[in-house]
Amino acid sequence: MAKQSSLIFISGGVRSGKSRFAERLAASIANQTAGNLHYIAAGQSSDPEMERRIVRHQKDRSKSGLNWKTWEQPRGLKRLSSVFTSNDVVLLDCLTTLLNNEFFSSEDLWKESFFQEQIMCSIIEGVEQIAKSCRALIIVSNEVLNERIGNNELVFIYGRMLGRLHQHIVTSAKEAYLVEAGIPVRMKGVDGHEGSHDSRNGIGCWEKPDSDSDLQGFCQ
Amino acid sequence: MHFITGGAFNGKSKWVKEHYRLNAAPHLWLSAYHGHSIPENTENWLDFVVLEGIEKWVQEWSGQLAIHEVREKWRMLLRSWTQWERAENRELILIGSDLSKGIVPMLAEERKWRDVTGWVYQDIAEMAEKVDIIWYGISQKIK
């Protein structure tokens, strides 16, 4: 029997409550399966503001009374592909930070298409391998593509990579949510977990795409 | 008329190709991203036409004309396209990226472009029979 995708995608604007929702969702799944909670932290404390943000998120997680195991992984997601077991619930927060770190990992390489492809593939493969190994992989990301992209090459390339990553992940995800003002709107997936919050009434969002392409295929 | 919008790089064009199965169907695809100019007439159009990159065409006019002029010109185009679409089996698809949810741009010309794009989208959505928002490949029908 083919294992159902364990991937859940959550996105939203700044301060939309996406992390909080992701953590609650993770806890609720872990609760059902008696699995362990893992947190992949992509943020690096490069300045005091980031440091404060990281501390705030850490406090939130420890206040929750749940036992999160934290993995600091600012880059090289694939390195975590063999550390989880089948009951584990893994939360990656957030994809934009991970992409930033990879993108700027070497001075000027971001302009090169081979480097862009390499980053995309390594993230996609990392996501795929982790998703396969655990009970649920929840990925948190940001809504940043609803404004003019402009003529800045760096912003254009970054935006295109992030958009393509999101498309790939949503395609292969079992569930996808857009969080607005603390309210998660389910964009994909059927009634699933207890504790998920489908606030949507009447709008039919999810239409199955014609092709059943998944993450595979991109990196071949 | 079917209007497709949503953020940049969200898979709008891909969705249109898959939804209308354009791989196997004759169609005319004009894209601002590929240097096509705004089609000011419907000569030589096939029965199925896709116009992609509305925001880019709006930007072009926004740089040259006053806001009300840009909007009026677009309304005239939309009327002529609606007219064209009245003949049987014709369908027009418009694809435009959403520019409306960022911080107010520093430059006046960018503010103007963003504003007028929003208004043109309202005009398009009003005239269109169908409107979909695409979010990373997932469609949300709003009209």
Side-chain angles (χ1 to χ4, degrees):
Chain A
M1 189 181 77
K3 185 174 173 285
Q4 197 191 13
S5 166
S6 66
L7 193 55
I8 298 171
F9 179 76
I10 297 171
S11 174
V14 228
R15 306 281 90 84
S16 60
K18 54 194 185 301
S19 293
R20 197 165 155 252
F21 169 63
E23 284 162 28
R24 289 209 321 256
L25 187 57
S28 125
I29 301 169
N31 195 29
Q32 289 166 29
T33 60
N36 293 317
L37 284 167
H38 296 267
Y39 187 88
I40 303 176
Q44 299 179 100
S45 51
S46 48
D47 59 64
E49 189 195 336
M50 194 65 192
E51 179 71 33
R52 279 197 299 275
R53 233 182 266 180
I54 290 173
V55 169
R56 188 168 49 80
H57 277 286
Q58 282 168 347
K59 273 192 185 149
D60 283 352
R61 286 198 303 279
S62 71
K63 261 195 301 193
S64 69
L66 300 163
N67 194 13
W68 290 92
K69 178 166 175 48
T70 300
W71 304 81
E72 306 278 349
Q73 202 70 32
R75 290 171 49 200
L77 187 63
K78 272 208 279 189
R79 267 170 254 151
L80 293 179
S81 58
S82 58
V83 300
F84 306 113
T85 56
S86 60
N87 267 347
D88 288 348
V89 178
V90 183
L91 172 55
L92 165 63
D93 197 351
C94 64
L95 187 69
T96 40
T97 314
L98 185 77
L99 180 60
N100 280 343
N101 297 338
E102 298 280 11
F103 197 72
F104 294 112
S105 61
S106 86
E107 200 78 351
D108 282 326
L109 275 180
W110 60 265
K111 285 189 179 180
E112 308 290 339
S113 60
F114 82 89
F115 182 69
Q116 297 159 17
E117 291 295 307
Q118 195 180 303
I119 293 176
M120 298 278 290
C121 287
S122 95
I123 293 178
I124 286 172
E125 282 167 16
V127 165
E128 212 172 42
Q129 286 164 10
I130 293 173
K132 260 185 212 150
S133 72
C134 64
R135 175 66 177 75
L137 169 60
I138 301 175
I139 296 179
V140 176
S141 197
N142 283 68
E143 287 299 306
V144 293
L145 297 171
N146 292 67
E147 62 177 321
R148 78 214 182 288
I149 302 287
N151 296 324
N152 186 310
E153 192 190 0
L154 186 143
V155 178
F156 182 89
I157 291 173
Y158 178 84
R160 188 175 57 191
M161 288 172 75
L162 187 66
R164 287 167 72 191
L165 274 177
H166 285 178
Q167 287 184 51
H168 275 278
I169 291 170
V170 168
T171 303
S172 103
K174 181 178 65 165
E175 293 166 36
Y177 298 86
L178 174 62
V179 183
E180 298 276 14
I183 300 167
V185 180
R186 183 158 47 214
M187 303 295 284
K188 178 180 179 181
V190 287
D191 290 345
H193 304 289
E194 276 173 52
S196 69
H197 306 262
D198 190 358
S199 57
R200 195 164 39 77
N201 286 315
I203 303 175
C205 289
W206 164 234
E207 221 178 273
K208 206 174 183 309
D210 292 343
S211 62
D212 63 346
S213 58
D214 59 5
L215 291 180
Q216 273 164 357
F218 182 79
C219 300
Q220 286 155 12
Chain B
M1 202 185 300
H2 188 174
F3 180 44
I4 318 293
T5 186
F9 309 116
N10 268 248
K12 297 184 291 298
S13 299
K14 186 169 177 244
W15 184 85
V16 167
K17 283 174 197 154
E18 284 171 5
H19 184 75
Y20 285 103
R21 297 183 165 82
L22 294 186
N23 270 346
H27 63 276
L28 174 68
W29 189 293
L30 298 174
S31 169
Y33 308 131
H34 299 135
H36 293 118
S37 50
I38 310 170
E40 300 209 41
N41 61 61
T42 53
E43 271 169 45
N44 304 322
W45 273 18
L46 299 178
D47 281 349
F48 195 98
V49 177
V50 182
L51 303 181
E52 175 193 48
I54 301 298
E55 77 286 354
K56 222 164 172 245
W57 283 321
V58 172
Q59 183 182 27
E60 221 174 282
W61 281 353
S62 170
Q64 304 155 359
L65 305 166
I67 285 178
H68 71 274
E69 291 172 321
V70 179
R71 213 173 156 183
E72 196 38 55
K73 278 189 81 159
W74 266 98
R75 281 187 178 140
M76 276 168 60
L77 278 182
L78 290 170
R79 276 194 292 270
S80 72
W81 294 342
T82 318
Q83 191 68 32
W84 169 85
E85 223 183 10
R86 283 213 184 103
E88 223 175 310
N89 294 324
R90 282 182 178 172
E91 182 132 27
L92 177 63
I93 315 295
L94 302 180
I95 307 175
S97 285
D98 177 20
L99 309 179
S100 69
K101 300 184 182 77
I103 291 164
V104 181
M106 299 279 277
L107 295 173
E109 68 204 51
E110 293 199 343
R111 288 197 295 277
K112 181 183 171 190
W113 170 36
R114 186 171 85 149
D115 288 349
V116 72
T117 303
W119 285 316
V120 167
Y121 285 5
Q122 287 189 44
D123 294 336
I124 294 174
E126 203 182 313
M127 295 185 104
E129 297 93 57
K130 289 175 278 181
V131 180
D132 274 275
I133 298 176
I134 308 299
W135 183 79
Y136 312 126
I138 292 175
S139 63
Q140 185 180 4
K141 192 177 167 114
I142 59 169
K143 183 178 174 185

